[in-house]
Amino acid sequence: MPRISETRTLQWSAEQMFDLVADVKRYPEFLPWVVATRVRSDGETEMVADMLVGFSKLREKFTSKVHKDRPHMIDVDYVDGPMRELDNKWFFRPNPDGGCTVDFTVDFTFRNSIFEALAGQYLDRAFRKMVSAFEERAATLYGSSNSSATSAA
């Protein structure tokens, strides 16, 4: 199963970054390849949402159950869609000098062989672009940022 890990040290608070990541209905506004989202239910600790992603003419919908522990963690459980498996976690840690450190990991495999082939070619670059999109969104919402990124694939 492919795995991507990314760690970013950001100027924004853990609460701000948690809220940005938890705001699934806004993903189509800033995330590449996210065509549409629909939040089926949303509570303080759990959300169920559908997401339509597209690459060129390919479109796939998937459903996830999102477990929220504000402002520390978001854990995404895969419910239904084009993947065999999906494990996605976000951890938000306040830094003593302000801001926070965000750890993001995703492990997954696709059912669709075309998506699996695309993932094999573009996985690393695509997910780094998506993580960067969250950082750019934070700069838009909360002000500009100086950050440092470290990655492990």
Side-chain angles (χ1 to χ4, degrees):
M1 177 163 31
R3 178 186 187 113
I4 294 291
S5 296
E6 184 90 9
T7 298
R8 300 250 176 159
T9 302
L10 304 171
Q11 79 174 42
W12 306 289
S13 71
E15 291 83 0
Q16 287 173 311
M17 293 309 299
F18 177 96
D19 291 344
L20 190 153
V21 173
D23 193 6
V24 172
K25 68 182 173 285
R26 300 251 187 233
Y27 283 9
E29 296 175 17
F30 68 95
L31 277 181
W33 310 293
V34 176
V35 176
T37 58
R38 179 176 63 126
V39 176
R40 293 183 185 193
S41 63
D42 192 9
E44 190 169 320
T45 61
E46 187 176 281
M47 171 192 324
V48 176
D50 298 324
M51 186 178 303
L52 180 65
V53 294
F55 303 94
S56 188
K57 294 184 182 199
L58 298 171
R59 299 265 194 261
E60 291 283 353
K61 182 186 96 167
F62 66 94
T63 303
S64 298
K65 184 180 283 189
V66 180
H67 304 276
K68 302 182 287 184
D69 179 15
R70 187 177 193 275
H72 311 289
M73 184 209 37
I74 293 176
D75 185 8
V76 180
D77 288 334
Y78 181 68
V79 175
D80 187 39
M83 299 182 187
R84 279 192 195 107
E85 298 177 57
L86 172 69
D87 183 26
N88 175 215
K89 291 185 179 19
W90 295 82
F91 294 97
F92 309 92
R93 294 187 322 267
N95 294 331
D97 58 345
C100 72
T101 299
V102 178
D103 291 308
F104 168 81
T105 60
V106 62
D107 298 290
F108 66 91
T109 54
F110 285 103
R111 286 189 182 119
N112 181 313
S113 60
I114 295 171
F115 271 55
E116 192 67 34
L118 285 171
Q121 293 177 12
Y122 302 107
L123 172 73
D124 187 64
R125 185 172 43 166
F127 276 95
R128 302 229 186 283
K129 186 173 182 174
M130 291 183 77
V131 171
S132 292
F134 279 99
E135 186 174 350
E136 291 166 13
R137 178 68 169 185
T140 298
L141 294 176
Y142 309 129
S144 56
S145 161
N146 296 318
S147 70
S148 63
T150 56
S151 305

